[in-house]
Amino acid sequence: MNGVLSCLFWLAIGVVLAFITLPLAVVVAASLSPSSTVTFLPWDWTLEWFGALLSDRWLQPFLLSFRIATVVAAISGVLGILAAYAIVYEKIPGSALIMAGLLSPLSVPQIVKGVAIVLFLSIIGLQGILGTPALIAAHVVLALPFVTRMAATSLTNFDGNLDRAAQSLGATKRQRLQHIVLPMIKPGVLSGVTFAFIISFNNIPLSVFLVRPGDTTLPIAVINYLEYSLDPVMAAVNVASMIFILTVIFLFEKIGGFSTQLHGGSK
């Protein structure tokens, strides 16, 4: 009986992994197609379609998405740390209500948030900031709950005895924060910042309402391209984006231990 359950377990894992990886394998194969139509000829694959990614059509949207995602990750990281510190470390009055408010954007569909932001800016007469400023603000609203929650989780798991020991040795609050608290919660903060970067870089529902002509992010450029064509260049763009995101995750993991936060530990 145990053997049957074990086989079913591994079969289920295999099915899930196949469901996740096979579409990615198809996209990779399509990006190597030897002709302008999407074909699967592994004996005649080529990398020529990746050369098109260096054109302004794709390079400019990528650079804009990268700049926006970097700013969003930085702002969300700072605000998320401050919010988690006030709620968990300082235990300010009404902390549960404040945390609920910070997490509330997760309960609203992104399309609804996009429409609401556009209407709000129109009502208060700030239509002029539509574009990059509005995108950054909207993406911060979307990403902040992830950073706050992960930083708060790290602070909750933080061993308070370390802080009390440093205090008994004469360390000031600033010294304790700088040398004990922040290094201990670094995995949680960096994992939240990583999520913020990825969410901003790949965002479509919010961005589609806030971009301006000539000021287009990479995901919106992909959607616009798909309206008229489906060719290996499109597959190459998606493969390059996937490699870029995996590289970002790898770098953050090497810097601060991304996976330790997922396992509930600290590094």
Side-chain angles (χ1 to χ4, degrees):
M1 185 64 180
N2 290 334
V4 174
L5 291 177
S6 178
C7 290
L8 291 175
F9 172 74
W10 287 110
L11 178 62
I13 290 179
V15 171
V16 172
L17 290 177
F19 180 78
I20 295 173
T21 59
L22 286 179
L24 299 178
V26 170
V27 173
V28 172
S31 69
L32 302 174
S33 175
S35 64
S36 58
T37 57
V38 177
T39 57
F40 302 93
L41 302 173
W43 56 86
D44 197 22
W45 279 346
T46 178
L47 295 174
E48 66 174 301
W49 307 111
F50 288 89
L53 305 185
L54 299 178
S55 65
D56 287 341
R57 179 170 194 167
W58 299 112
L59 190 58
Q60 293 302 322
F62 168 79
L63 293 176
L64 178 61
S65 292
F66 176 78
R67 289 195 296 267
I68 291 175
T70 301
V71 174
V72 168
I75 296 175
S76 300
V78 173
L79 295 179
I81 292 174
L82 294 176
Y85 172 80
I87 293 170
V88 179
Y89 191 84
E90 295 290 347
K91 294 181 175 58
I92 60 175
S95 57
L97 183 62
I98 295 174
M99 176 62 80
L102 291 171
L103 299 181
S104 62
L106 297 178
S107 63
V108 182
Q110 292 190 41
I111 292 179
V112 175
K113 286 198 286 281
V115 174
I117 291 173
V118 172
L119 292 177
F120 174 74
L121 293 177
S122 300
I123 291 173
I124 64 176
L126 293 179
Q127 302 95 322
I129 71 169
L130 288 175
T132 300
L135 276 173
I136 292 175
H139 287 187
V140 168
V141 172
L142 179 63
L144 184 59
F146 294 93
V147 183
T148 303
R149 188 61 181 173
M150 292 183 177
T153 300
S154 290
L155 279 171
T156 301
N157 295 331
F158 171 68
D159 187 358
N161 291 326
L162 297 175
D163 186 52
R164 286 187 286 271
Q167 185 176 7
S168 67
L169 293 173
T172 64
K173 176 176 283 191
R174 179 177 179 180
Q175 290 173 328
R176 301 199 310 272
L177 289 174
Q178 181 179 353
H179 298 291
I180 297 178
V181 177
L182 288 179
M184 293 297 293
I185 69 171
K186 182 173 67 173
V189 173
L190 288 181
S191 60
V193 169
T194 304
F195 270 96
F197 183 93
I198 295 173
I199 290 170
S200 176
F201 187 84
N202 289 326
N203 184 268
I204 294 175
L206 279 178
S207 302
V208 74
F209 291 99
L210 300 173
V211 296
R212 294 183 299 184
D215 196 17
T216 305
T217 60
L218 184 60
I220 303 303
V222 169
I223 291 178
N224 293 338
Y225 190 84
L226 281 173
E227 291 182 1
Y228 306 101
S229 178
L230 176 61
D231 55 28
V233 174
M234 189 76 271
V237 171
N238 286 280
V239 170
S241 297
M242 180 176 61
I243 294 174
F244 173 73
I245 292 299
L246 291 175
T247 302
V248 170
I249 295 174
F250 175 78
L251 290 176
F252 274 100
E253 163 63 23
K254 298 300 291 184
I255 293 172
F258 181 83
S259 59
T260 58
Q261 176 68 10
L262 298 180
H263 293 110
S266 58
K267 192 171 181 177

